[in-house]
């Protein structure tokens, strides 16, 4: 018989995982609590299982508790959970990419095993994510006993669990920001610089796309050092200095961004030279 799973916080992440766990038989979804009873009812409808409740003290006992709440709410919600329910032998996990399982100290003090499970993808469209979740990497860390239960459950829904160092959780989360958010920022700088040179915005995107796509493909195929090209890789620092001066004259923040990227790119070039 499948272990029971209660869900606290049934936004996009909570409801997608709940639906997948239920469909795979990894867990039997029990009670679902979110900000409003209407929201919990909607989540239960999406999950296709469970019982909507309006308060923590209305929830029944469960083998596993998923806290899919905002990062700033994890500690307080966990403390409330520990006050309302006996947790000896239970598993409590959260879904934050930025916070470690140490945020669940009230649960561990009550005898629970704690962990964190962070699916590395966007959940903007829950139905689409639920349909195409297979292959999603999930950063996991926490008590070995908790991970012994959660890892096969994640594998049952097609996820690929990846163990991470809880002490470096913030650095781990920053890696996703570099790979996603800051990549967009750098590409925006390229598009604006093309436009400053008289290239219309749609044409600028057409110019940048093959450069960006090929560079990313090379990073994932060859590794970052081998993928690096351009003036710094060639040791042409005169060109770098001229570009930086031109950018600072055109748009100071973009010039500062360019300047900030020079030292790490030089370090990458040295790694490339060492082979």
């Amino acid at each position: 018989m499948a272990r029971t799973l209660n869900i606290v916080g049934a936004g996009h992440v909570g409801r997608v995982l709940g639906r997948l766990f239920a469909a795979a038989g990894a867990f039997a979804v029990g009670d679902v609590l979110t900000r409003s009873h209407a929201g919990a009812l909607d989540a239960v409808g999406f999950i296709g299982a469970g019982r909507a409740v309006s308060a923590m003290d209305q929830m029944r006992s469960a083998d596993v508790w998923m806290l899919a709440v905002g990062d700033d709410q994890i500690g307080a919600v966990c403390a409330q959970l520990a006050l309302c329910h006996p947790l000896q032998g239970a598993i409590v996990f959260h879904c934050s990419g930025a916070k470690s399982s140490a945020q669940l100290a009230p649960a561990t003090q009550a005898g629970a095993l704690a962990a964190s499970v962070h699916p590395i993808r966007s959940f903007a469209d829950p139905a689409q994510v639920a349909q195409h979740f297979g292959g999603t990497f999930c950063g996991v860390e926490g008590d070995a006993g908790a991970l012994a239960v959660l890892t096969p459950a994640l594998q049952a829904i097609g996820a690929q669990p990846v163990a991470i160092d809880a002490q470096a959780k913030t650095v781990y989360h920053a890696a996703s920001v570099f790979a996603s958010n800051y990549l967009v920022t750098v590409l925006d700088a390229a598009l604006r610089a093309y436009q400053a040179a008289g290239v219309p915005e749609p044409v600028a995107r057409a110019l940048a796309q093959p450069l960006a796509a090929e560079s990313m493909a090379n990073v994932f195929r060859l590794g970052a050092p081998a993928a690096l090209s351009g003036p710094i890789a060639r040791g042409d620092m005169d060109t770098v200095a001229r570009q930086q001066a031109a950018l600072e004259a055109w748009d100071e923040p973009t010039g500062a961004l360019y300047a900030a990227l020079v030292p790490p790119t030089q370090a990458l070039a040295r790694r490339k030279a060492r082979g």
Side-chain angles (χ1 to χ4, degrees), residues 31-272:
D31 294 336
V32 177
L33 172 67
T34 190
R35 288 191 181 95
S36 68
H37 189 65
L41 287 170
D42 183 65
V44 166
F46 182 90
I47 292 167
R51 180 185 74 137
V53 298
S54 301
M56 184 77 77
D57 58 9
Q58 295 176 6
M59 303 184 84
R60 296 165 293 188
S61 296
D63 300 312
V64 182
W65 295 78
M66 176 168 65
L67 308 187
V69 298
D71 289 3
D72 59 346
Q73 301 173 41
I74 293 171
V77 169
C78 185
Q80 185 185 12
L81 172 62
L83 284 174
C84 291
H85 295 280
L87 296 176
Q88 184 67 42
I91 293 169
V92 180
F93 73 96
H94 68 64
C95 302
S96 170
K99 299 293 184 71
S100 78
S101 56
Q103 294 290 308
L104 302 174
T108 58
Q109 291 163 6
L113 298 173
S116 72
V117 172
H118 174 237
I120 307 171
R121 67 176 301 161
S122 167
F123 281 78
D125 184 343
Q128 193 271 344
V129 174
Q131 186 176 357
H132 302 286
F133 192 80
T136 296
F137 287 96
C138 292
V140 300
E141 54 87 7
D143 294 320
L147 295 179
V149 172
L150 295 172
T151 297
L154 290 166
Q155 291 169 335
I157 64 175
Q160 299 188 61
V162 176
I164 59 174
D165 181 355
Q167 300 301 315
K169 191 69 179 285
T170 303
V171 174
Y172 152 84
H173 192 246
S176 296
V177 173
F178 273 116
S180 178
N181 310 143
Y182 287 162
L183 181 60
V184 174
T185 302
V186 169
L187 288 173
D188 176 67
L191 296 177
R192 290 186 293 103
Y194 275 133
Q195 291 172 74
V199 179
E201 197 271 344
V203 179
R205 281 188 274 124
L207 285 173
Q209 183 176 9
L211 284 173
E214 186 174 3
S215 294
M216 283 196 295
N218 286 339
V219 167
F220 298 130
R221 184 169 60 91
L222 304 171
L228 183 66
S229 61
I232 291 179
R234 297 191 300 269
D236 185 1
M237 297 310 295
D238 287 341
T239 294
V240 172
R242 286 196 302 273
Q243 288 178 349
Q244 184 173 328
L247 287 170
E248 289 173 348
W250 161 60
D251 182 73
E252 189 172 347
T254 304
L257 175 61
Y258 184 99
L261 292 171
V262 170
T265 306
Q266 289 176 308
L268 185 57
R270 288 192 292 271
R271 286 162 54 196
K272 177 175 182 173

